[in-house]
Amino acid sequence: MSSTSIPRQVYLLASLNPYQGNWTIKVRLTAKGPMRHYNNTRGEGYVFSVELTDDDGTQIQATMFNTAARKFFEVFDLGKVYYISSGYLKRANKTYNCVDNDYEMTLNENSQVEEAVNEPVLIPETKFNFVPIDQLGQYLHKKELIDVIGFIQHVSSSMSIRRKVDNEIVPKRDITIADDTIKSVIVSLWAPLATGIGNKLLDMFDASPIVAIKSLRVSGFGGITLSTITNTIIDINPNSPESHKLKTWYGSEGSTTKFEYVGSTFKTGLINDAPSLYSDRVGLDYITNNLSLGEAKPVYYTTRACMSFIKTNQSMYYHACKTCNKKLTNNVGSGYSCEMCKTTQTDSNLRYVVSAKFSDTNGEAWMSLFADEAQTIIGCSATELDNMKSKDDGGAYQTQLKKATWVPHVFRLMVAPQEYNNDKRQRITVKIVSPVDYAAESKFLLDDISSTQS
Amino acid sequence: MDTSKPAVLVNGGLLRGYVGQRVRTVAQVVRPDAGGLTGRSTDEKQIDVKGKMPAAVTTFVEVIGVADGPQSICAEIVTNFGDTFDANNFNQLCRHANGDFRHLFI
């Protein structure tokens, strides 16, 4: 089909668009992802992606599924040059694609890939843009991927985490690295790095090797942690100036220095075993934009927000057993019975179970509130509220709920994903409500401003 | 919000840059004077306030008026701000309002 004797009209990547199909490109394979198996609502199959770079330096991601994936996986080798045609372009999906191009390419089994045998093979050097560990705070709630370099302080054993979304067990290993900013950070290695490189690092950790890691996600579960993604690259003891500099520093001072976890100056940590109201501070948009938060185990955050909307026609309380607080069964006409305590009672406690919407400067979220927390926000007990509801036209009831909206509080929240009718949702529960200390909040905001400025 | 007569947020050190202009600041009352009071700004400088005071003055007051000297304000409005006030937070606010973030303030 393709002949090397016919001169090709080669197009630059920058000139490609989805509306013109007759192109051939000449590109070098600058990154090759692993073959991955997927299983989602639309079916199951295999997929892998590559990064292609042309003479101009433009890059584009190309993805292949199933038959095409199997056909081209062995053909594509890192660093070689290929002529490619009959691929198809569409707008890049930034969730799966970090390559800087508005478009991404898909190759199917009719696409043509031919190696340009007269071109030299050039395996590109991984380009790093290291962030010093003490600067990681400013990447905290951003989607940007970062690179770090540091020496290994600790390697954990391999852990098995069950992914709630598909019940698969995935391996994870945590390593602690530190650099010359006297700060350390935990990097979570997910499969296949957890086992492959992870095992290697476990064996060599006595020697405090230097690792350079490219493409890490920054997350803030109780401080700051870094997580690997599919495209993360780890180089051990690389032969680079930064690596040598760090090795020298470690040799002279680093081995005896005491390091502090980055993010611990953000007042994380416990005061009298209770988390500080300034630790793990996030905006509501951080929580709602990350549906997988709390997948393995529920996670906790603090936030400052106002209740913005409460449905007045929901049943906001339930009849609770006076002994064990469980919901009572209403035996119409003859009182209540408690399944747990095996007793019958004529009266009950009314306990709150409320669902309300909360808003802050960046976002909004529905949250669940119970008992004492709901009482603090609504401003009266469930019994009192019920009395107001049945009195007159319920005007006092409406007013009480209205007065409770748009009052700022500081909350400690528990977040975990939840399946609802095959839909991935999020369950956010208010665990603690605290009044706003304005002077302390202002100071916290000022600290936040200066840390993003530096 | 009435934006017809904007007042710049200043502390003691920034006041001298706005002589003749309308300013606003919060100061700790040191002692009352004939015709006003002597105050200490959030950056520890003396500010002389001239004009009508509220009957009883709390530890901190907000002053809005025209700066008529490098450390003096001819007050139009003086408001009691209570006895607890975080001077450091206000001071940083003044620095931001006149520095990197001045475009966010009127």
Side-chain angles (χ1 to χ4, degrees):
Chain A
M1 184 83 206
S2 47
S3 160
T4 47
S5 61
I6 299 172
R8 273 171 242 257
Q9 165 78 66
V10 165
Y11 288 70
L12 289 178
L13 281 180
S15 71
L16 296 183
N17 65 67
Y19 313 108
Q20 196 239 20
N22 282 339
W23 44 259
T24 299
I25 52 174
K26 184 180 176 191
V27 286
R28 188 181 302 282
L29 200 87
T30 44
K32 182 177 175 185
M35 182 78 92
R36 281 183 298 121
H37 175 250
Y38 67 88
N39 190 347
N40 60 32
T41 48
R42 278 179 267 145
E44 71 164 288
Y46 290 90
V47 60
F48 86 100
S49 296
V50 296
E51 182 189 87
L52 307 169
T53 309
D54 73 0
D55 266 333
D56 245 12
T58 317
Q59 301 188 308
I60 193 165
Q61 177 167 297
T63 306
M64 287 135 279
F65 290 88
N66 300 316
T67 323
R70 271 188 278 273
K71 183 174 179 187
F72 295 123
F73 193 76
E74 300 303 324
V75 174
F76 277 132
D77 281 331
L78 190 58
K80 289 191 177 164
V81 178
Y82 301 88
Y83 290 102
I84 301 178
S85 49
S86 305
Y88 124 91
L89 247 57
K90 61 175 184 174
R91 290 223 150 254
N93 179 348
K94 289 300 174 186
T95 322
Y96 297 109
N97 183 346
C98 313
V99 174
D100 186 15
N101 196 315
D102 290 334
Y103 296 118
E104 58 185 16
M105 191 184 291
T106 310
L107 302 178
N108 58 34
E109 59 259 43
N110 298 322
S111 304
Q112 280 137 43
V113 174
E114 191 188 302
E115 190 183 320
V117 286
N118 297 324
E119 297 286 333
V121 177
L122 224 79
I123 298 184
E125 227 172 65
T126 320
K127 265 214 316 259
F128 290 98
N129 196 354
F130 296 121
V131 175
I133 294 180
D134 68 345
Q135 307 276 324
L136 289 172
Q138 53 188 300
Y139 294 89
L140 194 43
H141 304 149
K142 311 233 171 91
K143 287 211 172 106
E144 208 177 319
L145 299 171
I146 56 106
D147 309 336
V148 284
I149 186 168
F151 59 89
I152 305 267
Q153 283 192 312
H154 184 258
V155 179
S156 78
S157 51
S158 182
M159 302 170 253
S160 295
I161 308 283
R162 183 184 290 277
R163 262 211 310 246
K164 284 237 175 94
V165 63
D166 58 358
N167 249 345
E168 240 187 74
I169 306 241
V170 292
K172 175 172 104 115
R173 197 189 287 276
D174 282 342
I175 62 172
T176 308
I177 63 170
D179 67 3
D180 50 4
T181 61
I182 323 271
K183 286 280 195 298
S184 60
V185 68
I186 293 183
V187 182
S188 292
L189 307 180
W190 295 91
L193 296 165
T195 41
I197 283 221
N199 288 343
K200 211 164 164 199
L201 292 174
L202 186 60
D203 289 335
M204 35 175 350
F205 107 93
D206 285 352
S208 301
I210 308 274
V211 283
I213 313 181
K214 183 166 185 66
S215 303
L216 287 169
R217 213 182 287 283
V218 186
S219 43
F221 296 2
I224 296 178
T225 43
L226 303 175
S227 300
T228 60
I229 58 170
T230 326
N231 293 334
T232 299
I233 300 176
I234 302 185
D235 280 351
I236 306 181
N237 285 328
N239 192 3
S240 68
E242 294 92 348
S243 172
H244 295 309
K245 176 167 165 259
L246 199 55
K247 197 88 193 176
T248 315
W249 179 83
Y250 179 77
S252 62
E253 317 170 25
S255 53
T256 50
T257 310
K258 194 152 184 284
F259 294 83
E260 207 183 30
Y261 275 117
V262 67
S264 56
T265 48
F266 247 50
K267 298 162 216 107
T268 55
L270 310 176
I271 299 171
N272 300 330
D273 269 355
S276 145
L277 289 170
Y278 298 94
S279 60
D280 318 311
R281 269 293 177 109
V282 295
L284 291 177
D285 61 339
Y286 175 77
I287 298 176
T288 56
N289 283 340
N290 273 300
L291 288 179
S292 55
L293 286 175
E295 214 154 49
K297 188 173 85 149
V299 284
Y300 293 82
Y301 298 104
T302 39
T303 195
R304 173 167 48 93
C306 297
M307 181 171 76
S308 47
F309 179 69
I310 183 166
K311 278 200 287 244
T312 51
N313 59 356
Q314 65 174 306
S315 65
M316 284 193 264
Y317 27 78
Y318 65 98
H319 291 276
C321 168
K322 285 191 159 173
T323 328
C324 70
N325 280 334
K326 281 265 170 259
K327 183 169 178 183
L328 295 169
T329 323
N330 190 348
N331 306 319
V332 185
S334 55
Y336 304 96
S337 51
C338 178
E339 299 276 309
M340 185 74 74
C341 305
K342 309 272 188 244
T343 59
T344 48
Q345 11 193 313
T346 43
D347 58 6
S348 62
N349 279 338
L350 282 177
R351 278 175 74 82
Y352 276 121
V353 51
V354 179
S355 172
K357 189 153 86 158
F358 288 78
S359 302
D360 69 1
T361 52
N362 279 333
E364 51 183 23
W366 283 91
M367 307 201 219
S368 303
L369 299 157
F370 302 96
D372 298 333
E373 295 78 42
Q375 183 158 336
T376 308
I377 296 199
I378 294 177
C380 67
S381 72
T383 312
E384 290 167 329
L385 192 68
D386 191 46
N387 288 339
M388 281 186 228
K389 192 170 185 183
S390 36
K391 197 155 40 144
D392 303 327
D393 58 352
Y397 169 82
Q398 298 283 354
T399 308
Q400 182 76 23
L401 292 179
K402 196 157 178 211
K403 273 191 337 191
T405 54
W406 298 112
V407 176
H409 302 273
V410 174
F411 302 100
R412 184 85 180 148
L413 304 174
M414 179 177 83
V415 182
Q418 193 181 39
E419 276 259 342
Y420 189 78
N421 285 348
N422 269 337
D423 219 0
K424 242 183 104 168
R425 297 259 194 104
Q426 208 170 39
R427 184 170 177 77
I428 307 175
T429 311
V430 175
K431 303 302 277 182
I432 302 176
V433 178
S434 215
V436 176
D437 173 345
Y438 288 95
E441 287 291 314
S442 300
K443 177 149 195 348
F444 179 79
L445 286 172
L446 286 165
D447 283 346
D448 203 7
I449 293 175
S450 24
S451 74
T452 29
Q453 272 184 311
S454 56
Chain B
M1 184 170 139
D2 177 13
T3 56
S4 58
K5 292 194 292 180
V8 185
L9 271 165
V10 298
N11 56 17
L14 294 161
L15 181 56
R16 62 193 60 244
Y18 294 96
V19 176
Q21 293 186 54
R22 205 151 181 272
V23 294
R24 74 193 302 158
T25 191
V26 174
Q28 184 171 347
V29 177
V30 175
R31 62 173 180 274
D33 277 340
L37 58 84
T38 304
R40 177 164 55 241
S41 70
T42 52
D43 57 341
E44 310 286 314
K45 297 190 163 43
Q46 184 176 319
I47 298 192
D48 305 313
V49 180
K50 283 175 268 197
K52 192 161 187 290
M53 300 291 124
V57 155
T58 58
T59 312
F60 292 91
V61 289
E62 183 195 43
V63 179
I64 304 175
V66 177
D68 60 359
Q71 57 172 48
S72 153
I73 302 179
C74 179
E76 291 165 29
I77 312 171
V78 176
T79 314
N80 279 330
F81 258 32
D83 298 320
T84 49
F85 185 79
D86 193 318
N88 190 35
N89 287 345
F90 183 81
N91 206 46
Q92 295 236 53
L93 171 64
C94 289
R95 286 174 46 220
H96 283 316
N98 286 279
D100 283 346
F101 300 106
R102 63 191 312 154
H103 57 282
L104 295 175
F105 291 81
I106 298 174

